[in-house]
Amino acid sequence: MIIDRTTLKRARRHARKLDAILTGLLTPAEQPEPEPVMGKIGAGTTQAEMLFLASGYVVEAVDRPEIISGKVIRTTGAGAAMGEFSGPAGSYQLEVFYFDESDGQSLVELWVDGQKVLSWVADTDDDALHRSSVDVNIEPGDVIEIKATPNAGEPARIDRIVITPLGDKAPQEPVEDPAETPVDGVPISNAAELKDALASAQGGEVFVLKDGDYGNLVLTGQVYGAPISITCASWLGAEFGEIRMTNCDGLKWTGIDVEAFRAYSSKNVGLVGSSVTGIVYMKDVDGLMVEGNDIEGNFHAMLLNDVREFKVTGNKVHGAQEDLMRITGDSHSGVVEENFFFDTEPEDYRNDGDPTTEGYNHSDFIQMFGANGKTPRDIAIRRNLMFDDRATGDKTVTPQGIFVSDPAAGGYSNLLIEENLIAVNSTNSIYINGGQDNVVVRNNSLIPLNGGGAIIRLVLKAGMDNRGTLVEGNACKVLSNESTAAKIGQNFVYGRDVAPAELFSGEGKAWRDYLPVAGSSLEASGMGAAAFLAEMAAGKVPAALR
């Protein structure tokens, strides 16, 4: 149920009639049947049970310490709960606190004045209280509505709405925070307790770290029958220097603050909702999940060498001098999806006057190459945003976008590079060498950065001709094909003489910048990441791109 202005006026009309009854202006015959009146939502906290429950939502008593009022609302079917904003016009942060439960994945949407401003699927499945938020302009009288669709045993429980004025700050893209309340588990107070707990664990345990400095942690031969979960009592409250795992199996880390996260010859490693301020380094790992993290690199940000069955999704990866992400050797069966890669910081030493330094950093957003006779394969790189702020790093170095080169014998096979949004200054915005078997570059949108980049290059190198490469549906400035064996489908190649502002809505830092200008030839073509952009324009924006 979407409340539009007509419905809102009807609610206000009934309210005025009720006022008239109280003042004796209507006769009993003219008195209307009692109808619910739209609740009010002002700045600050509004408990969910105080909203107008239009359909499908009921109030439920709960006994949890984080629920101050002791009540939430839950669905009995598709539900809608709403209220009319009573504060002054302005920019606000609008937060919804909800339960994410382990027995289902409900869909929740937030609407303001008949427009959907945020939606999410409660799929963390940790039985904890979470919040989702969005910055938005709100006018007096605007209806703020929560719509929810339950799933399996999860009835989309909502605790409260919090509205905070932003002052002069303009609305930003929405964000979704990790759980406010940790899952139940064995409390751990310090590094010694953590080591003892991991040494005695049998598998399946959950350890909850209290806030503190846990130093460096070196684990060798820790193998469990079921995965161990290490989480935090408060998000990023547990701080580590380095976590190093060797010959380990079944360790998932959530919500930690760590400088270096490393694994060697290990299996089933997870890093979720955490902050990394140095590097994620994986060597010879089977089963890797890196999801929802902020990874700020140092020299590199994330290196995957001989990693199988991996999933890298929803991360913000930035700040490295060289590669933001590297995939090499016998790495396969992986997905790199819905990440935001931004701001490499390369250094150029060629003219710095220091005889002890030379050369420059060779920076890539994602680099892939063969090693030890093996070539990465069976990998999808899709729906990522890549933007290089030229204000960071030396301007004499131009970081490359997706750089796929130097394969081992046989070349690359089964690679999908699809629906990525890329704005880098390099001529190698997407670079393919050795795409010999089912390498597909499809429906990517490329924006020039400071006039350079937005170029797809297929090169003849290492004796390989890209005979198994297909390029189709992309929007780019230039498509450079040095080989005659690759298959080139229909693409929107707009050339060097067209101003990007005639085609795109911005410079490429945010996903909205890639929306085609209304009435432009790009919009008419339907090419680039059109389907992905349409989904986001409709409110389905991946967390890392908000």
Side-chain angles (χ1 to χ4, degrees):
M1 176 179 179
I2 301 173
I3 299 298
D4 56 16
R5 291 190 180 275
T6 300
T7 308
L8 178 58
K9 288 178 181 178
R10 187 178 301 118
R12 289 170 175 163
R13 185 166 59 250
H14 285 300
R16 286 194 296 270
K17 286 185 178 181
L18 289 174
D19 287 340
I21 293 170
L22 294 176
T23 56
L25 296 179
L26 294 180
T27 66
E30 297 173 311
Q31 294 177 7
E33 291 293 326
E35 292 191 33
V37 180
M38 188 71 64
K40 301 291 185 181
I41 300 178
T45 299
T46 300
Q47 297 297 332
E49 64 268 21
M50 302 304 295
L51 299 174
F52 171 50
L53 307 183
S55 64
Y57 258 119
V58 296
V59 178
E60 177 184 61
V62 294
D63 184 17
R64 291 185 61 138
E66 65 268 35
I67 305 302
I68 298 173
S69 70
K71 297 177 181 179
V72 297
I73 61 173
R74 66 182 299 275
T75 58
T76 57
M82 65 205 68
E84 179 181 331
F85 185 62
S86 59
S91 298
Y92 295 85
Q93 182 185 63
L94 206 165
E95 300 171 278
V96 177
F97 288 78
Y98 67 98
F99 276 102
D100 194 329
E101 301 171 44
S102 58
D103 54 354
Q105 297 185 346
S106 56
L107 171 66
V108 186
E109 297 177 346
L110 181 62
W111 294 70
V112 175
D113 194 29
Q115 299 294 318
K116 182 165 65 176
V117 297
L118 182 63
S119 66
W120 65 93
V121 176
D123 57 3
T124 305
D125 298 339
D126 58 359
D127 294 312
L129 187 68
H130 289 243
R131 79 171 179 97
S132 285
S133 70
V134 62
D135 294 351
V136 64
N137 293 320
I138 312 178
E139 298 285 337
D142 283 352
V143 171
I144 299 171
E145 179 185 13
I146 296 171
K147 297 173 60 181
T149 303
N151 173 260
E154 185 177 80
R157 289 182 170 93
I158 306 295
D159 174 42
R160 63 191 184 270
I161 293 176
V162 178
I163 299 179
T164 305
L166 294 174
D168 295 332
K169 180 182 176 184
Q172 302 295 313
E173 292 296 325
V175 297
E176 185 173 345
D177 278 358
E180 291 241 324
T181 304
V183 296
D184 293 333
V186 180
I188 302 293
S189 299
N190 53 52
E193 287 186 10
L194 176 59
K195 290 178 182 178
D196 290 343
L198 291 174
S200 60
Q202 300 300 306
E205 291 91 342
V206 176
F207 298 121
V208 182
L209 307 180
K210 295 183 179 180
D211 291 1
D213 186 350
Y214 288 75
N216 297 327
L217 181 65
V218 178
L219 301 172
T220 302
Q222 307 288 112
V223 177
Y224 304 102
I228 298 289
S229 179
I230 305 101
T231 185
C232 294
S234 60
W235 184 48
L236 306 184
E239 300 177 4
F240 292 84
E242 178 186 51
I243 295 176
R244 179 187 293 258
M245 297 161 283
T246 304
N247 295 318
C248 292
D249 186 351
L251 288 164
K252 178 184 176 183
W253 304 80
T254 302
I256 63 171
D257 187 339
V258 60
E259 293 181 15
F261 187 79
R262 304 176 188 270
Y264 304 84
S265 302
S266 294
K267 297 180 180 179
N268 302 313
V269 176
L271 182 66
V272 178
S274 298
S275 172
V276 180
T277 53
I279 191 170
V280 173
Y281 183 93
M282 299 287 124
K283 172 67 175 175
D284 188 25
V285 172
D286 289 281
L288 171 68
M289 178 175 64
V290 180
E291 183 175 330
N293 306 284
D294 186 284
I295 302 171
E296 181 179 6
N298 189 354
F299 193 71
H300 296 289
M302 188 179 347
L303 302 183
L304 274 56
N305 303 319
D306 303 326
V307 177
R308 282 81 58 180
E309 300 288 346
F310 62 89
K311 182 179 181 183
V312 178
T313 59
N315 304 281
K316 294 184 178 181
V317 188
H318 57 103
Q321 285 182 238
E322 290 211 350
D323 296 340
L324 294 181
M325 184 173 188
R326 181 184 289 179
I327 306 170
T328 74
D330 190 27
S331 294
H332 62 80
S333 306
V335 175
V336 182
E337 187 172 28
E338 296 180 350
N339 303 282
F340 183 19
F341 296 92
F342 61 100
D343 293 357
T344 59
E345 300 181 2
E347 295 186 9
D348 189 343
Y349 306 107
R350 289 172 291 189
N351 298 305
D352 64 358
D354 185 348
T356 65
T357 60
E358 61 181 11
Y360 60 93
N361 294 135
H362 180 91
S363 302
D364 300 276
F365 278 67
I366 299 178
Q367 180 174 206
M368 197 179 297
F369 58 82
N372 301 318
K374 298 289 187 178
T375 303
R377 61 198 181 276
D378 303 308
I379 296 170
I381 301 173
R382 63 190 304 269
R383 295 195 165 191
N384 302 283
L385 172 59
M386 303 179 189
F387 176 80
D388 188 39
D389 185 350
R390 301 299 294 147
T392 60
D394 287 336
K395 294 180 176 59
T396 51
V397 181
T398 54
Q400 302 170 138
I402 301 174
F403 193 83
V404 179
S405 188
D406 301 312
Y412 288 96
S413 62
N414 300 321
L415 298 185
L416 175 63
I417 300 172
E418 179 182 50
E419 294 186 304
N420 297 286
L421 311 174
I422 303 174
V424 297
N425 188 246
S426 172
T427 55
N428 299 325
S429 304
I430 299 179
Y431 178 101
I432 305 293
N433 160 228
Q436 301 303 101
D437 178 23
N438 192 32
V439 173
V440 178
V441 180
R442 181 171 60 205
N443 298 130
N444 300 281
S445 291
L446 283 65
I447 296 179
L449 189 65
N450 296 337
I455 298 173
I456 298 175
R457 289 188 63 197
L458 308 180
V459 301
L460 286 172
K461 189 179 175 183
M464 298 185 189
D465 58 4
N466 292 312
R467 65 176 59 247
T469 299
L470 168 64
V471 181
E472 65 177 2
N474 302 282
C476 60
K477 182 176 69 178
V478 174
L479 202 169
S480 175
N481 181 20
E482 298 177 11
S483 84
T484 57
K487 182 179 179 181
I488 307 299
Q490 190 173 12
N491 297 272
F492 183 80
V493 181
Y494 49 87
R496 301 179 185 275
D497 297 329
V498 176
E502 296 179 12
L503 303 173
F504 299 98
S505 298
E507 64 178 3
K509 186 174 184 178
W511 70 266
R512 292 183 182 276
D513 294 348
Y514 296 82
L515 291 169
V517 171
S520 67
S521 53
L522 174 58
E523 182 184 52
S525 74
M527 295 191 186
F532 182 33
L533 291 167
E535 286 183 18
M536 291 190 287
K540 190 177 180 181
V541 182
L545 275 59
R546 296 174 187 165

